[in-house]
Amino acid sequence: MAKIFVVANQKGGVGKTTTTVNLAAALARHGRRALLVDLDPQGNATMGSGIDKRTLQRSVYQVLIGMSDVVEATQWSEGGRYAVLPANRELAGAEVELVDFEERETRLKDALAQVDAQYDFVLIDCPPSLSLLTLNGFCAAHGVIIPMQCEYFALEGLSDLVNTIKKVHANFNTALQIIGLLRVMYDPRVTLAQQVSAQLEQHFGDKVFRTIIPRNVRLAEAPSYGLPGLVFDPYSKGARAYLDFGAELIDRVRSLDEAQRTARHAAEAREQ
Ligand code: ATP
Ligand code: MG
């Protein structure tokens, strides 16, 4: 069964797409079968995976409105070694068109059921909003990964995001949990970055991933070559950090699964 994670933060430009693309490449490097779902009409994750968003025959848009299944619309990222369900600006129309559909929040979840056995991980890149598209991501996922820049306004939007996740958990998807907060674009020379980073650890404890992604220009250059940074310059600091993050996530998933199993056994034992 695939673990489905959504990479979300309604703030723009905080490193969602960079994280999704490089995490997919990292998981592939660690021998896992990964599918990246681009749920943003900007199509940055699509382009950053080396797939031209301007020439798509099918995309996640057709999947959401029921005109294609996931297998038909999926392409392969040669550089990244992972599968991609791509997007382009057509997807912006889905926001409006889906309003007339029944169960419009779970369109993506239902579609992904088809490929559940085919992948170890599905990673969903969200647009910078708490829109119906992001809601489809939340309803489809087991967990949320929140990339954050350690700056003054970073914490401001976090409570809105956490409240939205709580509402989705209560109303649509009881499996949904926050897997962790990932510090990205980190510059250790900036005192404020150190302070915010320490605050995050204080507030969120082990919900903060140990791995920190540094600010690294190679990660920013890679998309223009249609490659994840991890492939573009594997020895760069940024690439190594995302490779470590992939390993940390695999570990975290394993311990979450074990904790769930233990809880289930305890509940069964109580019933007997
Ligand atoms: P949007 O909200 O528009 O979807 P996003 O949250 O997906 O944005 P990205 O596109 O991943 O954010 O990153 C924003 C910009 O910052 C991009 O130009 C990207 O190349 C750059 N960037 C991301 N992470 C890093 C990093 N660790 N070091 C340097 N530059 C980075
Ligand atoms: Mg993005």
Side-chain angles (χ1 to χ4, degrees), residues 132-189:
L132 183 54
L133 287 172
T134 302
L135 186 58
N136 260 272
F138 285 156
C139 288
H142 301 111
V144 191
I145 295 169
I146 307 174
M148 297 196 57
Q149 274 178 268
C150 292
E151 55 184 32
Y152 182 66
F153 291 113
L155 295 166
E156 213 178 45
L158 198 57
S159 54
D160 287 341
L161 182 56
V162 171
N163 283 335
T164 304
I165 293 168
K166 277 186 186 154
K167 274 188 206 147
V168 173
H169 182 274
N171 295 309
F172 299 109
N173 178 7
T174 51
L176 189 68
Q177 55 177 323
I178 295 176
I179 300 296
L181 300 160
L182 177 68
R183 292 163 284 183
V184 299
M185 294 189 231
Y186 188 75
D187 185 346
R189 292 165 304 185

Side-chain angles (χ1 to χ4, degrees), residues 16-17 40 42 44 125-126:
K16 293 181 286 296
T17 300
D40 185 348
Q42 295 180 96
N44 293 343
D125 185 31
C126 283

